[in-house]
Amino acid sequence: MAFKALGELLDEALQLPVDGTLYTVPAPSAAVGLRTQALINAAATAADGGQVDEQVLGDAAERDLYRDVLGSAHDEMVAAGVTWPALKHCAITAMVWIAQDKDAAERFWNAAGDPNRLAPNRAARRSPSGAVTSTRSRGSTSGTSGPKAKPHAKAKKPR
């Protein structure tokens, strides 16, 4: 058995429909992919309250990241007069594609970038009777009231 040519295995373009036109976002260079991945990791770290690598964020801010992730589709969109929100949505979708995969990019695109619309389908959370169900988190109950736990019997000392 031999390795197949990588070009036969990878779908190296993203097709984005905007205002009746299908724009093709080509696969980014390795450098753009690595920089995008570093930027997304830095943003996730910052969102979690962690220490942010200012060098990574500074480098990304110095370059035209949207142009880089959209490739030739960027200039086509600008020339066609695509709106800023549409261009931004296309660029962030491309970033999700680069950092994760095409399925994640498609979910982001179809949710219009709204994190609430990325949540599991409401029907999947309903019980057979149609009532919405929820599972209580086992997280902190700080600031909430609830039944007090009964004290556990003392454990026996090991011999």
Side-chain angles (χ1 to χ4, degrees):
M1 184 162 139
F3 287 99
K4 291 183 180 182
L6 194 54
E8 295 174 22
L9 303 173
L10 299 178
D11 186 4
E12 294 190 349
L14 193 62
Q15 301 285 320
L16 301 177
V18 179
D19 297 332
T21 302
L22 191 62
Y23 293 95
T24 299
V25 179
S29 69
V32 169
L34 291 168
R35 191 170 74 242
T36 302
Q37 187 71 46
L39 176 63
I40 288 177
N41 288 339
T45 299
D48 288 340
Q51 184 65 29
V52 178
D53 184 344
E54 299 293 333
Q55 174 84 27
V56 170
L57 294 178
D59 286 350
E62 291 172 13
R63 297 180 180 94
D64 188 356
L65 186 62
Y66 285 2
R67 179 182 304 275
D68 289 346
V69 299
L70 290 173
S72 57
H74 179 276
D75 290 339
E76 293 171 17
M77 290 178 188
V78 171
V82 169
T83 65
W84 167 247
L87 183 100
K88 181 178 176 182
H89 187 62
C90 290
I92 295 173
T93 299
M95 291 173 68
V96 171
W97 171 54
I98 292 166
Q100 295 181 28
D101 58 28
K102 195 173 270 189
D103 289 338
E106 185 177 354
R107 286 190 303 275
F108 178 84
W109 178 269
N110 290 335
D114 181 351
N116 293 324
R117 293 172 66 184
L118 289 170
N121 185 320
R122 286 184 186 190
R125 296 188 314 244
R126 293 186 185 273
S127 70
S129 67
V132 174
T133 60
S134 66
T135 305
R136 288 185 65 134
S137 168
R138 298 191 80 182
S140 170
T141 57
S142 174
T144 61
S145 62
K148 300 282 185 193
K150 294 182 182 177
H152 293 282
K154 285 189 176 183
K156 293 182 182 178
K157 290 185 181 179
R159 292 183 188 197

